[in-house]
Structure formats: C-alpha cells, structure tokens
Amino acid sequence: MKVVALEGSLSEGEFVEIINVDFDGELLAVTVLIDGDKLDITFDTPAGFRVLDEGDLLEYWPDCSTTNGWLYEIAGQGWLDQELQRGGFLSGHNPEIKEYFIAGVNYCISVLAWEKPDVEASTR
C-alpha cells in the first residue's frame, strides 16, 4: 500500500478513538480523541466515506498503524483503487479525487475527497 502520513505518529500508549461522525450533505466532520484532546477533521463536500471496524481493514496495516501516524493520504492500493474497478464509479473519472484514512482504535474511516482535510481543536 502507498501511504503518506498527514499527521504524525503517536507515543507509546496513545491511541486515536473516533468519537463522532457528522455529515450534513456538504461537510463531513470526524471528531477524534487522542490522549484527552479532541480534534475535528473536516472534509468539504466529500465524494464518499465509509466507517469500518479496524479488523475489517487488515490490508491497511502495518502501513497505517499509529506508530507511523493516524491521518493518511492513501496514494494507491486502497478503497479508491477498489472503487475504480467498478464501471459505475463516475467520480473516478476525475483525477483530483483522493483517498484519506483515519486510523482509529475501534473504527477507521476512509474518505474520498477533492481536497485535504482541515484538522483543528474540536469545538464539540
């Protein structure tokens, strides 16, 4: 798998827990808890997203483990490449679409988006 870490690795004993996912049709906001700190990761008008148990995404490990980071851009061999195999995936015709991945301790989120997400302290 080809990955680029957008957020740095975590220390021993730290983990990312996805505690909220909110999508209003235009903005996808994912709130994570890391060592007592809440962060919001927001995607403007994503093309799609999926939430799965980390055990159902074993092909992402060890490349996307928290020892490498916790927010990634997936540059190849991920969910986007799987979707590109489907003839009905019209968004795949746009070369600007990218895949992002948030590695959580219980759940993980894959997002197909046009721009990198914003990461900031949570207001939730």
Side-chain angles (χ1 to χ4, degrees):
M1 179 164 289
K2 300 174 186 173
V3 304
V4 176
L6 301 178
E7 290 291 330
S9 61
L10 299 179
S11 300
E12 181 78 27
E14 285 186 311
F15 61 91
V16 175
E17 183 177 1
I18 295 168
I19 59 172
N20 190 62
V21 178
D22 184 38
F23 179 60
D24 67 7
E26 287 189 27
L27 189 70
L28 172 65
V30 179
T31 304
V32 299
L33 182 64
I34 304 173
D35 197 34
D37 295 324
K38 290 183 186 178
L39 298 173
D40 288 331
I41 301 94
T42 55
F43 298 86
D44 188 25
T45 318
F49 65 96
R50 68 178 185 176
V51 179
L52 290 172
D53 183 276
E54 83 281 3
D56 292 325
L57 295 166
L58 295 179
E59 68 270 20
Y60 284 78
W61 312 141
D63 299 319
C64 293
S65 68
T66 55
T67 57
N68 298 326
W70 59 269
L71 173 62
Y72 295 90
E73 180 178 330
I74 305 301
Q77 302 171 325
W79 180 40
L80 177 58
D81 283 351
Q82 292 172 357
E83 291 297 328
L84 289 171
Q85 300 303 309
R86 297 188 309 105
F89 182 56
L90 298 179
S91 294
H93 295 289
N94 186 328
E96 293 181 24
I97 195 167
K98 302 222 182 315
E99 178 183 353
Y100 299 94
F101 184 77
I102 301 170
V105 68
N106 290 314
Y107 291 99
C108 299
I109 298 182
S110 298
V111 181
L112 303 180
W114 312 105
E115 300 173 2
K116 285 185 179 181
D118 292 321
V119 179
E120 55 193 25
S122 180
T123 58
R124 299 179 189 276

